[in-house]
């Protein structure tokens, strides 16, 4: 009798264990399937954002190619989009990352609508100027005033915030300067006369970023692919960044214009050729531009 009871109890225990095992297996398989589905959806969303950015870049390329003299605002905007595309390619595929890139894309889309509309207006005006030689001087003055207005509006675009919780920069420019003993700075395109590289940009207004001390990494690369300035390294998880200087500033949730200076390597003169300027927020590339010294 006791043996029967013991046998029955063992069978019940084995039955319960089997049910728990099957239930755990089913739950694990279901969780794994949901995880794969979520990852696939995130990858598809990332591809959609990448396609949108490439389409936007193509629109800028077409607008720039239609002008004999490239509109500086269009060229700068195109460079920012390329920087975002390069950053997205190597970014992690997760909800937070995609949300941030979608927000940046929406902000760039609004900027593009304004810039292309303004560019169309400029092309129409240029066509009219070509047919009226007698009014050339007047029209050129009007165009200069209109271009100045575009620059003001472009600066205002830097204040547009689109649900992003990270600092971003616009209007990145790099150029050589001659430094007089009086402290006066004179821009130059000649490598032999350049004393320092001046890098200027605007930190965009963002109410979601906590006010206080902030920093961005500025990287200037010469024609021989050398990082100028400090050329020190900082490690971000699996990424190492060589930077020329750390731009430190007090951020008060408003647009902020910043300029930094980068020296050559040692006592060497600056090389002739194309220079690349990048600005990083931690490991993320937020803006990029280039210039040439002759």
């Amino acid at each position: 009798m006791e043996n029967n009871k013991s046998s029955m109890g063992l069978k019940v225990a084995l039955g319960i264990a089997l049910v728990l095992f099957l239930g755990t297996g089913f739950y694990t398989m279901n969780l794994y399937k949901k995880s794969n589905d979520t990852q696939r959806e995130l990858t598809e969303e990332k591809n959609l954002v990448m396609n949108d950015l490439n389409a936007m870049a193509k629109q800028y390329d077409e607008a720039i190619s239609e002008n004999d003299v490239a509109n500086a605002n269009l060229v700068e905007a195109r460079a920012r989009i390329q920087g975002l595309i390069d950053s997205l390619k190597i970014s992690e595929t997760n909800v937070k990352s995609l949300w941030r890139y979608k927000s940046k894309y929406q902000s760039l889309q609004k900027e593009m609508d304004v810039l292309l509309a303004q560019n169309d207006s400029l092309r129409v005006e240029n066509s009219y100027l070509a047919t009226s030689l007698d009014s050339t001087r007047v029209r050129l003055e009007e165009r200069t005033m209109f271009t100045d207005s575009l620059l003001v509006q472009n600066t205002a675009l830097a204040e547009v915030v689109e649900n992003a919780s990270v600092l971003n920069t616009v209007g990145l420019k790099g150029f050589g300067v001659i430094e007089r003993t009086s402290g006066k700075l004179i821009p130059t395109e000649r490598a032999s006369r350049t004393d320092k590289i001046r890098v200027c940009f605007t930190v965009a207004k963002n109410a979601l970023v906590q006010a206080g001390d902030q920093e961005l990494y500025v990287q200037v690369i010469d024609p021989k692919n050398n990082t100028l300035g400090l050329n020190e390294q900082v490690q971000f998880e699996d990424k190492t960044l060589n930077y020329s200087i750390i731009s430190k500033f007090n951020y008060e949730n408003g647009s902020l214009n910043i300029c930094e200076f980068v020296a050559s390597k040692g006592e060497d003169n600056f090389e002739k050729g194309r220079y690349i300027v990048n600005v990083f927020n931690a490991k993320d590339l937020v803006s990029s531009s280039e210039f040439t010294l002759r």
Side-chain angles (χ1 to χ4, degrees):
M1 178 69 70
E2 291 180 357
N3 290 336
N4 290 337
K5 289 182 179 180
S6 176
S7 176
M8 180 63 68
L10 180 60
K11 290 180 179 179
V12 171
L14 288 174
I16 294 174
L18 179 60
V19 170
L20 290 175
F21 176 77
L22 292 175
T24 302
F26 176 77
Y27 174 77
T28 302
M29 290 177 63
N30 189 47
L31 187 62
Y32 178 77
K33 182 177 183 299
K34 288 184 178 179
S35 176
N36 285 342
D37 290 343
T38 300
Q39 188 61 36
R40 183 172 61 256
E41 290 175 0
L42 288 175
T43 301
E44 291 175 354
E45 285 291 326
K46 180 176 180 179
N47 290 334
L48 289 175
V49 174
M50 181 68 74
N51 291 338
D52 289 340
L53 288 172
N54 285 325
M56 186 183 295
K58 184 177 180 180
Q59 286 183 269
Y60 272 115
D61 290 337
E62 292 175 353
I64 293 171
S65 66
E66 292 173 355
N67 292 275
D68 293 333
V69 179
N71 187 313
N73 295 328
L74 297 180
V75 174
E76 291 175 7
R78 175 64 174 82
R80 289 197 298 276
I81 292 173
Q82 187 60 51
L84 190 59
I85 291 174
D86 294 340
S87 178
L88 179 58
K89 288 180 180 178
I90 61 175
S91 68
E92 297 178 0
T93 305
N94 55 53
V95 174
K96 181 179 179 182
S97 176
L98 285 176
W99 178 80
R100 186 176 71 222
Y101 282 103
K102 282 187 176 180
S103 297
K104 289 182 179 180
Y105 166 74
Q106 292 171 359
S107 179
L108 290 172
Q109 179 68 54
K110 291 184 178 180
E111 179 184 7
M112 184 184 71
D113 292 341
V114 174
L115 288 177
L116 291 185
Q118 293 169 346
N119 187 62
D120 289 341
S121 297
L122 282 176
R123 288 196 296 110
V124 172
E125 185 173 328
N126 288 340
S127 298
Y128 180 75
L129 287 173
T131 62
S132 182
L133 295 177
D134 293 338
S135 60
T136 298
R137 179 175 299 178
V138 175
R139 293 297 184 184
L140 284 176
E141 291 176 352
E142 291 178 355
R143 182 183 179 188
T144 300
M145 293 176 61
F146 188 64
T147 302
D148 290 342
S149 175
L150 288 181
L151 292 175
V152 172
Q153 293 177 40
N154 194 46
T155 301
L157 286 175
E159 299 177 357
V160 177
V161 178
E162 284 293 333
N163 296 325
S165 59
V166 295
L167 287 177
N168 203 354
T169 63
V170 296
L172 175 63
K173 293 182 179 179
F175 51 91
V177 293
I178 301 171
E179 187 175 34
R180 299 299 190 192
T181 55
S182 63
K184 182 178 180 180
L185 300 175
I186 302 174
T188 181
E189 294 182 354
R190 294 188 176 275
S192 60
R193 301 193 63 191
T194 298
D195 295 319
K196 293 179 179 179
I197 300 297
R198 192 178 192 192
V199 178
C200 296
F201 54 87
T202 298
V203 179
K205 176 182 177 181
N206 193 331
L208 297 180
V209 176
Q210 184 177 359
D213 293 335
Q214 299 285 350
E215 63 183 31
L216 296 171
Y217 293 92
V218 178
Q219 180 189 68
V220 179
I221 302 176
D222 71 6
K224 293 185 176 180
N225 206 33
N226 296 314
T227 300
L228 303 182
L230 297 177
N231 191 19
E232 295 184 353
Q233 291 186 340
V234 59
Q235 186 72 33
F236 297 104
E237 298 175 354
D238 58 343
K239 180 177 181 179
T240 301
L241 173 66
N242 285 67
Y243 63 87
S244 301
I245 190 172
I246 302 177
S247 180
K248 299 182 179 181
F249 51 91
N250 184 265
Y251 187 65
E252 298 180 350
N253 301 114
S255 294
L256 183 64
N257 296 324
I258 293 178
C259 287
E260 302 286 359
F261 292 95
V262 176
S264 62
K265 296 177 66 66
E267 298 181 357
D268 297 335
N269 293 328
F270 287 95
E271 299 285 342
K272 295 181 180 180
R274 182 173 69 103
Y275 287 73
I276 298 175
V277 182
N278 297 318
V279 176
F280 291 85
N281 184 350
K283 66 177 181 179
D284 295 325
L285 178 67
V286 295
S287 58
S288 180
S289 68
E290 61 181 61
F291 65 95
T292 302
L293 293 180
R294 297 183 285 107

